Amino acid sequence: MAFFGLFGNDRQMAGTTYSKRESASEKTARQRRERHRRSLTKTARQGQAWEDAERERQDRRSRRWL
């Protein structure tokens, strides 16, 4: 006997009730990918800032010796 639809029809409920919803594992994987994407942008900006500062430092040194 199904107790208010809670027992015995899990697959049927999953196919109808939750069909348009994102599963917990899919949501976690999506959030992980989004965090990774954001951290790549931040890391790239930090690397570019370091590179610009290093080039500026090297340019100042070379002008002094001319």
Side-chain angles (χ1 to χ4, degrees), residues 25-61:
S25 59
E26 289 171 347
K27 180 180 178 183
T28 304
R30 179 180 48 80
Q31 289 174 340
R32 187 181 318 113
R33 286 190 304 270
E34 289 172 356
R35 281 193 308 269
H36 180 70
R37 199 173 303 125
R38 281 193 302 264
S39 69
L40 285 178
T41 303
K42 181 180 175 184
T43 304
R45 286 186 183 144
Q46 288 174 342
Q48 188 64 49
W50 178 86
E51 185 179 346
D52 293 343
E54 185 68 12
R55 284 187 179 166
E56 181 65 31
R57 184 185 67 79
Q58 289 175 352
D59 286 347
R60 279 190 310 239
R61 179 183 291 173

Side-chain angles (χ1 to χ4, degrees), residues 1-39:
M1 176 176 125
F3 181 72
F4 299 110
L6 296 177
F7 298 107
N9 62 349
D10 294 340
R11 290 181 192 215
Q12 181 185 4
M13 282 183 62
T16 58
T17 306
Y18 303 112
S19 63
K20 296 188 180 10
R21 292 185 59 190
E22 185 178 30
S23 71
S25 59
E26 289 171 347
K27 180 180 178 183
T28 304
R30 179 180 48 80
Q31 289 174 340
R32 187 181 318 113
R33 286 190 304 270
E34 289 172 356
R35 281 193 308 269
H36 180 70
R37 199 173 303 125
R38 281 193 302 264
S39 69

